[in-house]
Amino acid sequence: MPWKGEKNPYKIWVSEIILQQTRVQQGEKYYRALLKKYPDIAALANANESELYKIWQGLGYYSRCKNMLQTAKMIVNDYNGIFPHSYDDILKLKGIGPYTAAAIAAFAFDLPYAVVDGNVIRILSRYFGIESPYQSAKEKKQFELLAQKLLPKKQSASYNQAIMDLGATICKPQSPLCESCPFAKKCYAYIHGRISELPAKKSKIILKDRYFHFFIFENKQSIFIQQRNEKDIWQHLYSPYRIEKQKINLTEYPFLKGLKYSKIPERYTQKLSHQKIHGFFYRMEVNNLDCIQDLQLIKIPKARLSIYAFPKMIISFFEKNNYL
Ligand code: SF4
């Protein structure tokens, strides 16, 4: 992991924001790409928003990107471009919650804040035999208080790194290496044969199904897209014109009258944390642009599609159908 042992708060912050919803393996290439383009906070504060979103494309949870840009500008304007040095000031920054603030405070400034990630939760659950999952606010508080109590206040950075490493390499989710673990003698889960049951499973989130119909309007070598500005998923990304409806009757839409379309038989799906998106695509050649003039679409050459940031599902469609 390129951010391991890092002391630069800007780089720690970038890595933590990426890792908030992304696995390490996937996050690493985004981390490198972001730092290459924006090597410091001033460079990020001056970033062109579209270029930043393009680098972020595929990572999901795009509000992270928007918050990063706002935070970088705030640090430049309000803190002279110097990352704040106290936990409370770090916590005030947009997009930074208690976990990320603790990670920056501990790793960059060696401040006494315990970092509670999945590795730490697993070790604490198993070692102390904690039966509740890390889910409700009350349950989270229980873990955070315990982690904070265990933290040696003068070796915050190395302790936090050590416990996270122990979780990643010894107390692994599957087949932990208990024989090599320095805590085996007093570990509740090891002594009582409860390793596979701890940490306790979170209750399942029921995903909400949403049905999106995308209309690929084409005119010779041009294609029409729109930017998603409403407060919803995929905010700031681009997409073809979209109608959300479970079952659609195309005759209800006057702008489609007289347009010849072909429905792509394949259904595309994408799972988000609380939603499952079902995507249907229709291709339409538009000869008379008056039909779609009220839809507020942007006309771009097909050859320039790749410079816009699209949600994963739409990229899959474009790739499969030779647009990209
Ligand atoms: S003994 Fe096994 S289960 Fe307990 S903390 Fe060590 S690795 Fe984890």
Side-chain angles (χ1 to χ4, degrees), residues 195-319:
I195 290 165
S196 60
E197 295 157 43
L198 295 172
K201 305 258 178 303
K202 293 180 185 180
S203 47
K204 265 204 170 170
I205 293 169
I206 297 168
L207 299 180
K208 180 184 171 201
D209 287 296
R210 295 179 71 182
Y211 301 86
F212 290 178
H213 300 264
F214 294 107
F215 296 87
I216 318 287
F217 295 119
E218 297 174 58
N219 176 253
K220 297 177 190 132
Q221 288 313 308
S222 299
I223 189 162
F224 294 81
I225 56 174
Q226 60 184 178
Q227 193 171 22
R228 293 178 49 82
N229 290 320
E230 62 261 53
K231 270 206 160 184
D232 192 4
I233 58 164
W234 302 338
Q235 201 183 14
H236 298 297
L237 299 190
Y238 290 85
S239 95
Y241 182 71
R242 180 193 66 121
I243 293 174
E244 179 170 2
K245 208 161 194 193
Q246 185 169 1
K247 281 197 179 130
I248 194 166
N249 176 359
L250 295 184
T251 57
E252 280 175 24
Y253 299 92
F255 64 88
L256 295 175
K257 271 205 181 120
L259 293 180
K260 271 194 181 163
Y261 69 88
S262 58
K263 186 177 179 189
I264 306 296
E266 195 177 351
R267 173 196 292 227
Y268 289 71
T269 54
Q270 186 176 341
K271 270 190 194 167
L272 306 172
S273 59
H274 291 76
Q275 306 181 15
K276 186 174 178 189
I277 309 299
H278 305 261
F280 307 91
F281 290 82
Y282 308 80
R283 293 176 74 162
M284 300 187 173
E285 186 63 36
V286 188
N287 296 320
N288 176 6
L289 298 185
D290 291 347
C291 305
I292 56 168
Q293 69 174 4
D294 294 339
L295 304 182
Q296 294 173 342
L297 302 172
I298 312 163
K299 182 180 181 184
I300 59 161
K302 287 180 192 168
R304 289 177 62 81
L305 260 185
S306 64
I307 66 165
Y308 293 85
F310 293 98
K312 226 185 214 166
M313 171 187 281
I314 292 165
I315 295 170
S316 303
F317 169 81
F318 281 149
E319 283 177 349

Side-chain angles (χ1 to χ4, degrees), residues 123 126-127 166 170-171 176-178 181 183-184 187 189-190 195:
I123 295 171
R126 288 174 174 170
Y127 184 83
L166 186 86
I170 305 279
C171 193
L177 309 176
C178 300
C181 177
F183 302 110
C187 173
Y190 183 57
I195 290 165

